[in-house]
Amino acid sequence: MNGIEDTEFSRRWTQMAKEIPTPKAVLVVSAHWLSRGTKITAMDFPKTIHDFGGFPKELFAVQYPAPGDPLFAKETAKLIHSTQVELDHDWGLDHGTWTVVRHMYPQANIPVLQLSIDYTKHPQYHYDLAKELLALRKKGVLIIGSGNMVHNLRMAAWDRLNEQFAYDWAGKINDQFKELIQQGDHKALINYDKLGKEALMAIPTPDHYLPLIYTLGLKSSKDNIAFFNDKAVAGSLTMTSVKIG
């Protein structure tokens, strides 16, 4: 619902776009595009995907008509040598992308592409793959990892979705994740399954966590780190976002 509502989270994304240079393109690693192998959207005009159910019709009515960039897709695929990247013409922009980017660039005048997550691979693979994309940052491309550090829908208290509320375990592991990010301890974050039961509760499946691993792989030694939207809702979901650079 943050995709269409005026909330503190959506307002912060709007403000973020004013604080950073206008990118030449946006590349999003979304928790909602899992694939066997790695793919990148390569069409001229990616469709808006409404990959959810049970929400108001206003959410399904949203269209985000940002252009794609087939040439940029090909150039990005060539940067990656650890695997062969497939140029995809079927996917589009799922809600992991447009619910964020439409607040940042409402005019939809900046090319937006998505990179899929190969669900068969270990987090180390995704971290190493991200390092191959570092040249994109130097070319003015904004890279976004869209997911959640704590994302356990089965344990969510849906009656407390609109208030700041975290279970003790969720708050504890979210703080630990932030501390490890600040310390630059990427190894511990990659091997999150060794961090204890709280981490396994926060990450029952890796899909929403892996976008963070991509952003960490893109961090250079000179980058600053800042957190924003650092709140928990429904007990077992955190909105905590990380700005690197």
Side-chain angles (χ1 to χ4, degrees):
M1 292 302 293
N2 289 304
I4 60 172
E5 292 181 345
D6 180 22
T7 68
E8 61 178 308
F9 304 122
S10 61
R11 287 193 295 271
R12 187 66 187 89
W13 281 112
T14 298
Q15 182 61 33
M16 178 63 67
K18 300 175 182 178
E19 298 173 358
I20 63 176
T22 300
K24 295 180 179 178
V26 179
L27 179 65
V28 182
V29 180
S30 166
H32 297 276
W33 191 16
L34 304 179
S35 62
R36 182 178 290 275
T38 301
K39 303 180 181 183
I40 189 170
T41 54
M43 65 285 287
D44 289 313
F45 294 97
K47 61 186 176 183
T48 303
I49 302 174
H50 302 89
D51 50 330
F52 43 74
F55 289 91
K57 61 181 181 180
E58 290 80 7
L59 199 62
F60 290 91
V62 172
Q63 294 294 317
Y64 186 67
D69 190 331
L71 181 59
F72 171 55
K74 291 179 181 179
E75 293 174 349
T76 301
K78 290 179 180 179
L79 289 175
I80 299 174
H81 300 286
S82 56
T83 188
Q84 184 173 351
V85 178
E86 178 183 339
L87 300 178
D88 180 88
H89 297 87
D90 297 321
W91 192 249
L93 306 180
D94 61 49
H95 82 272
T97 295
W98 62 258
T99 58
V100 172
V101 180
R102 72 185 299 258
H103 290 298
M104 301 183 73
Y105 308 109
Q107 294 181 343
N109 57 350
I110 296 174
V112 180
L113 294 85
Q114 281 196 214
L115 185 74
S116 75
I117 296 174
D118 185 343
Y119 66 87
T120 70
K121 302 298 186 181
H122 184 272
Q124 184 69 54
Y125 168 89
H126 299 287
Y127 182 82
D128 294 339
L129 189 154
K131 288 187 172 299
E132 298 182 86
L133 299 174
L134 187 58
L136 297 180
R137 288 189 59 193
K138 299 175 182 179
K139 294 181 179 180
V141 176
L142 172 63
I143 303 175
I144 299 175
S146 180
N148 298 83
M149 288 196 289
V150 178
H151 186 269
N152 191 322
L153 293 182
R154 291 188 176 183
M155 297 187 69
W158 296 111
D159 58 332
R160 305 187 69 173
L161 185 60
N162 295 318
E163 61 178 284
Q164 183 176 354
F165 164 59
Y167 296 124
D168 289 344
W169 62 265
K172 177 182 177 181
I173 193 62
N174 200 67
D175 287 342
Q176 186 175 0
F177 286 152
K178 288 165 54 183
E179 183 177 346
L180 291 170
I181 292 170
Q182 286 279 29
Q183 293 172 350
D185 190 349
H186 295 178
K187 183 177 180 180
L189 290 160
I190 291 168
N191 298 294
Y192 68 88
D193 56 336
K194 304 295 192 298
L195 294 177
K197 64 178 182 179
E198 291 88 357
L200 297 179
M201 293 171 72
I203 311 168
T205 57
D207 47 335
H208 276 75
Y209 181 76
L210 289 175
L212 171 69
I213 297 300
Y214 276 84
T215 60
L216 295 178
L218 285 157
K219 181 183 179 299
S220 72
S221 59
K222 298 179 180 179
D223 284 328
N224 294 318
I225 290 176
F227 297 100
F228 62 101
N229 283 350
D230 189 16
K231 290 188 176 182
V233 296
S236 60
L237 304 170
T238 58
M239 304 299 291
T240 305
S241 302
V242 189
K243 177 179 176 289
I244 296 175

